[in-house]
Amino acid sequence: MSSVTITREIDARGSYCPGPLMELIRGLKTAAEGEVIAVISSDPGSKTDIPLWVEKSGNELLTVEPLADGAARFIVRKHLRK
Amino acid sequence: MRVQVAIVGGGVGGTLIANRLRHLLHGDARHETNITVYDAHGIHTYQPGWLYVPFARQDPEKLLRPEARLLQQGITLLSGHAGNVQRILPAEKRLLTADGELHGFDYLVLATGSRNAPEDVPGFAEGADHFYSEEASRRLQEKLAHFAGGRIITGVASVPYRCPPAPLEFTFMLEADLRERGLREQTELHYVFPINRPFPIQPVSDFVAPLLEERGITVHTFFNVEAIDPARRIVSSMEGEELPYDLLVLAPPHKGQDVIAASGLGDRDGWIPTDRATLRVKGYEEANIFAVGDATDLPVSKSGSAAHYQGHVVAETIAADVQHRPLQHQYHGRVACFLETGHGQATFLWFDYEHPPKPPKPRRLWHLEKAALNTFYWQLIPPARI
Ligand SMILES: Cc1cc2nc3c(=O)[nH]c(=O)nc-3n(C[C@H](O)[C@H](O)[C@H](O)COP(=O)(O)OP(=O)(O)OC[C@H]3O[C@@H](n4cnc5c(N)ncnc54)[C@H](O)[C@@H]3O)c2cc1C
């Protein structure tokens, strides 16, 4: 991951409403093409929800890093839909 | 030297903090502390009531009270130009109001809430309706009164937005209203939502999804509105879907207030980066600058409930500091709110950073409690009685 610069990280641990996926959508909305942002989630549901939406919306999931406290860090690259 | 506490915004959070802080200060500390609330309008609005205006079940005039009447004696209110904060200068510990005055502060609370940003979605202003302001909810009341059948799309245009349950509650109420008026047969109902279920909280989604199906409301998930074409009456999503409509009722895009961006205190959308536990503004931890409620970037719902719990934390922290027994109180992410499911029933959601919500099945009891809160808000929340 050395070539990737994360421009913004959102800590959504413990967020049930609106929840980590909504926080990711919020962050990506204002990102520029190619920008990389990270969202940290402690919600087990994120492991399915986030990859599903990222695919459906045409963005790119670069990696999912497990964290020591059981949460996961999702690193996503923004792509504008053509 | 007198201590100056400046509270910007006389909404749910700001009003509660001013009253609670005054109550927590005793003896000399009370006499030597000036609490000033700056509010651009001087009128306090109970926003949750706007949900009922489109159905003519709420008089919008009754949702307004003069802020001066909600503040305890001894608290200063500046409103109009004198209370409209144009710039915050955190390094100088001063703020500038629209009448050109500079005001110094020792403690600053930012409780400026959010604003509707229809300009963020092309076509929203011309093509969509909503109930997120008095004016818009009145306009929608007119449109619904003249609605004779067709295709209605409800839901959410963009995240974040105020009160996550509101668009769903509106949808259930709309369905019941059309049924009562004999228009349900002639109306197709569609609900659009940004994520892969109709509500963020899974167990809520689990009982809401069958209710939507039962009432013939088609759900379109993963629908993040990208643009609205008012001429062709089509709403399209970031995910590539297009839906035609006759009436489109969406929670509008939201942003932080301009003063936050103008003062360099916000993120790209004008939300204030805020510590999730101490509620101190990030980057100004030593300067006694706090933020609460909708104005923050916290990962909790933009709700009066969150502003209320956060308000108590900030009032306690400032009161302790002013009285020379510094103790940082912590916000644990608590939010509590109701979700109306129509037919006189509602459920109750309660959660914090550590405890996921476990919503009970919709019952009449929660509906009555929500109705009671709508009535007794003025006696309970602004005066910080609870
Ligand atoms: C339709 C609807 C339904 C809702 N239902 C619920 C519900 O059921 N439960 C719930 O908990 N929440 C609900 N909410 C959300 C709730 O109303 C808000 O989250 C709450 O008001 C936020 O409080 P706040 O103190 O952060 O901001 P606000 O209450 O919005 O107050 C902000 C204040 O700051 C002032 N201000 C802004 N800029 C400046 C400036 N530059 N200078 C001076 N003053 C300024 C404004 O005039 C305003 O008085 C609902 C909202 C809507 C729209």
Side-chain angles (χ1 to χ4, degrees):
Chain A
M1 294 297 296
S2 56
S3 62
V4 167
T5 311
I6 295 168
T7 52
R8 185 167 181 193
E9 178 167 287
I10 300 169
D11 185 353
R13 272 177 281 212
S15 175
Y16 298 103
C17 185
L21 176 53
M22 295 262 238
E23 292 294 331
L24 172 67
I25 295 173
R26 168 168 86 87
L28 274 186
K29 208 182 64 187
T30 48
E33 167 69 33
E35 208 176 321
V36 176
I37 80 163
V39 64
I40 305 178
S41 169
S42 54
D43 177 358
S46 293
K47 298 215 164 74
T48 47
D49 293 0
I50 290 182
L52 252 175
W53 178 75
V54 170
E55 220 220 295
K56 185 140 201 249
S57 59
N59 293 290
E60 186 187 353
L61 182 61
L62 298 179
T63 179
V64 184
E65 297 171 353
L67 300 183
D69 63 356
R73 191 158 171 258
F74 296 79
I75 300 175
V76 180
R77 192 197 302 274
K78 161 103 171 206
H79 289 300
L80 294 170
R81 210 161 48 83
K82 300 194 182 56
Chain B
M1 269 285 281
R2 298 185 69 84
V3 176
Q4 304 291 344
V5 179
I7 299 171
V8 186
V12 178
T15 308
L16 179 140
I17 291 172
N19 286 326
R20 182 73 188 143
L21 178 57
R22 172 94 183 147
H23 176 82
L24 291 169
L25 295 176
H26 303 288
D28 289 349
R30 176 174 275 207
H31 295 296
E32 284 159 18
T33 305
N34 288 346
I35 304 174
T36 307
V37 174
Y38 297 82
D39 192 82
H41 303 108
I43 301 288
H44 190 107
T45 307
Y46 182 60
Q47 300 173 22
W50 290 334
L51 174 64
Y52 307 92
V53 174
F55 306 106
R57 283 167 52 189
Q58 170 71 56
D59 174 1
E61 297 287 328
K62 300 231 163 82
L63 302 171
L64 309 171
R65 299 264 165 111
E67 174 71 5
R69 272 181 36 207
L70 300 174
L71 294 172
Q72 278 172 40
Q73 252 189 356
I75 297 170
T76 306
L77 171 67
L78 295 178
S79 60
H81 280 326
N84 189 342
V85 177
Q86 300 284 295
R87 199 73 94 240
I88 294 145
L89 308 158
E92 294 175 26
K93 299 201 135 203
R94 294 203 289 182
L95 52 84
L96 173 70
T97 42
D99 57 356
E101 290 289 320
L102 277 167
H103 307 260
F105 60 79
D106 300 296
Y107 298 84
L108 174 67
V109 181
L110 300 173
T112 42
S114 63
R115 70 169 181 90
N116 296 330
E119 68 278 7
D120 260 23
V121 168
F124 190 97
E126 311 81 40
D129 282 280
H130 65 89
F131 48 90
Y132 278 71
S133 72
E134 181 182 326
E135 196 200 342
S137 57
R138 281 180 189 268
R139 211 179 317 126
L140 182 55
Q141 185 188 109
E142 277 291 302
K143 281 206 187 170
L144 281 178
H146 294 105
F147 184 78
R151 194 175 150 106
I152 307 185
I153 298 181
T154 60
V156 175
S158 180
V159 291
Y161 61 97
R162 273 168 288 172
C163 191
L168 198 53
E169 296 182 289
F170 176 83
T171 306
F172 284 130
M173 284 163 61
L174 175 65
E175 200 275 335
D177 181 71
L178 292 167
R179 198 170 286 283
E180 279 164 27
R181 290 163 57 202
L183 291 168
R184 185 64 188 93
E185 300 283 291
Q186 300 94 291
T187 310
E188 236 183 82
L189 287 175
H190 296 258
Y191 176 75
V192 298
F193 204 65
I195 62 170
N196 52 335
R197 47 179 175 271
F199 195 70
I201 298 167
Q202 185 73 59
V204 175
S205 269
D206 291 345
F207 67 68
V208 152
L211 288 181
L212 287 162
E213 200 183 326
E214 216 173 83
R215 294 176 201 175
I217 302 161
T218 309
V219 178
H220 303 261
T221 55
F222 279 148
F223 197 105
N224 285 277
V225 175
E226 186 167 68
I228 295 163
D229 182 340
R232 288 166 59 223
R233 293 203 192 152
I234 286 185
V235 53
S236 52
S237 74
M238 269 166 65
E239 293 81 3
E241 212 178 327
E242 289 196 338
L243 296 174
Y245 67 85
D246 294 307
L247 183 65
L248 180 62
V249 186
L250 299 175
H254 281 62
K255 276 200 167 136
Q257 301 287 1
D258 292 339
V259 61
I260 303 301
S263 308
L265 288 170
D267 66 13
R268 290 177 198 181
D269 281 328
W271 309 120
I272 306 165
T274 307
D275 185 279
R276 53 161 43 211
T278 65
L279 303 175
R280 288 172 188 266
V281 175
K282 288 183 184 167
Y284 300 97
E285 283 84 352
E286 305 307 318
N288 285 319
I289 300 183
F290 301 84
V292 295
D294 292 359
T296 70
D297 74 340
L298 294 173
V300 297
S301 7
K302 296 211 176 291
S303 59
S305 167
H308 161 245
Y309 289 118
Q310 292 164 11
H312 277 280
V313 170
V314 169
E316 297 273 352
T317 301
I318 295 177
D321 208 64
V322 170
Q323 294 174 108
H324 310 295
R325 36 176 182 81
L327 180 63
Q328 172 66 60
H329 288 253
Q330 306 274 317
Y331 176 59
H332 299 288
R334 183 179 291 185
V335 179
C337 64
F338 299 97
L339 189 156
E340 298 262 19
T341 52
H343 301 288
Q345 297 197 323
T347 182
F348 180 64
L349 309 173
W350 184 97
F351 51 95
D352 61 33
Y353 294 144
E354 301 294 330
H355 302 89
K358 295 199 185 101
K361 277 234 141 53
R363 279 204 289 153
R364 181 138 186 89
L365 171 73
W366 305 117
H367 167 75
L368 295 174
E369 288 209 8
K370 177 158 183 170
L373 181 61
N374 287 341
T375 305
F376 295 112
Y377 168 80
W378 303 102
Q379 284 77 34
L380 293 175
I381 310 288
R385 291 225 170 78
I386 57 169

